[in-house]
Amino acid sequence: MRRRVIIVVTAVHTPSAPFLEEAHTSLRAQELPDGWAWHWVIQEDGETDDVRPYVPDDARVTFRQGRPGGPGVARTMALAHADGAYVKVLDADDRLTPGALARDLAVLEGDPGIGWVTSRVLDLMPDGSTAGFPGDPDDGPIERGTVTEYWERNGFRAPVHPATLCVRQDLLVALGGWMALPASEDTGLLLALNSVSRGWFSREVGLLYRKWEGQVTGQAPHIDPAERDARMAVVAARARALERFGWHAPVTD
C-alpha cells in the first residue's frame, strides 16, 4: 500500500531558485487530515552550485540534481523519489493557496474513479496584485476527452491549468510522466490524463501563478511558431492515440 503522502514535485533552475522560499512557506501553511503528510522533491534542471543555497532546511524536502533537459525531464526524474499515493505539481516560482492540498486529497480519496485534480489559478503580478481567467469550468468532474476538445477549438489553450495538477502516482507513472518536449510538456500530460481518466476541477483558487520576466513561458523560443506547431501536433497526436486505444484508469471494478 502506498504511504499516506502527497509528493510535491518541483523543477527548478538558477533563475527561479530565489522563489523557493515563498513556495516553501506556502507548503508549510498547508493543513492535511490526520495521518497524511507532504514530501517536497525539488529537482534541479542541471548540476550547478547556484540552486542548493535556496533549498529549505526541512526534513520533508529532498533535493536532487541531473543533466539539463527542461522542466519535464526534471519532474520525471523526480518521480524516482515519489513514494506516496499522489503527486502534486508546484513550480518553483508559484505558491499554493491555503487548503489546496487538502482539497485535492478530499477529491482523490473520495472517488476512486477520478484520476487527477486541477483548480482555479490566479496570476500573481510583479506588484503583488492578482488577476483571474475568464471561462473557468464548473466545479466538479471533467469527463474524458473534454479537455482535448476544448484545447483544439480554442487555439491550443486548455480550460484548466496544468500547473495546478494533482494526480494519482501510479497513473502518472503509467503515462510516462511529462512529455519529452522543450515546452508544453505539462499540457501534453494533462491531455493524456484526460484521454484515459476522468478529472476534477475546483473553483476555489489553488495556485498563485507568478508572472515575471525570467519565467520560461515568457521567453522567445516558447512562442516560435514553427516549434509551437510541432509541439501542439505531438501533444494532440498522443491524446488522440490514447483515446483510440480505449484504455482507461483508474480501474474501479
Side-chain angles (χ1 to χ4, degrees):
M1 177 179 293
R2 288 283 176 186
R3 292 197 304 137
R4 293 164 68 84
V5 175
I6 299 177
I7 306 298
V8 182
V9 168
T10 296
V12 62
H13 65 334
T14 298
S16 59
F19 296 115
L20 287 172
E21 181 179 356
E22 290 185 48
H24 184 230
T25 298
S26 75
L27 261 176
R28 288 190 291 110
Q30 299 297 308
E31 296 184 2
L32 294 175
D34 288 345
W36 281 88
W38 54 261
H39 173 200
W40 192 16
V41 182
I42 302 172
Q43 180 80 27
E44 182 182 354
D45 182 32
E47 298 175 297
T48 73
D49 296 324
D50 302 327
V51 172
R52 189 180 294 274
Y54 295 99
V55 175
D57 182 13
D58 187 324
R60 297 168 293 180
V61 176
T62 296
F63 174 61
R64 293 290 185 269
Q65 297 172 296
R67 289 186 292 167
V73 170
R75 293 192 202 102
T76 301
M77 290 296 290
L79 295 181
H81 312 284
D83 56 347
Y86 307 113
V87 175
K88 174 70 173 178
V89 177
L90 177 59
D91 288 347
D93 49 358
D94 294 343
R95 289 160 35 189
L96 297 175
T97 62
L101 293 186
R103 290 190 293 271
D104 291 345
L105 183 61
V107 173
L108 292 168
E109 284 287 285
D111 187 345
I114 299 294
W116 50 277
V117 179
T118 53
S119 63
R120 188 174 177 224
V121 60
L122 296 179
D123 279 346
L124 177 61
M125 312 307 286
D127 63 1
S129 64
T130 58
F133 297 85
D136 284 329
D138 293 334
D139 192 283
I142 299 174
E143 300 302 327
R144 291 172 57 198
T146 57
V147 173
T148 302
E149 292 172 3
Y150 182 99
W151 177 83
E152 291 181 327
R153 291 196 310 265
N154 291 274
F156 305 128
R157 295 184 66 87
V160 296
H161 206 304
T164 68
L165 182 67
C166 188
V167 57
R168 296 183 187 276
Q169 188 269 358
D170 53 0
L171 177 56
L172 175 59
V173 172
L175 289 174
W178 285 263
M179 289 191 75
L181 295 171
S184 307
E185 76 293 330
D186 53 355
T187 299
L189 172 61
L190 176 67
L191 266 60
L193 287 166
N194 181 237
S195 295
V196 302
S197 174
R198 299 174 77 224
W200 186 275
F201 178 76
S202 171
R203 289 186 64 90
E204 291 194 59
V205 176
L207 186 77
L208 299 180
Y209 182 83
R210 189 185 304 273
K211 292 288 191 177
W212 61 291
E213 62 182 11
Q215 66 187 143
V216 173
T217 54
Q219 306 306 306
H222 185 76
I223 57 175
D224 174 77
E227 183 191 285
R228 182 175 183 269
D229 288 348
R231 295 197 317 262
M232 299 306 103
V234 175
V235 166
R238 183 196 194 194
R240 293 306 186 190
L242 285 168
E243 290 177 4
R244 288 195 303 272
F245 290 158
W247 179 76
H248 64 89
V251 176
T252 57
D253 51 23

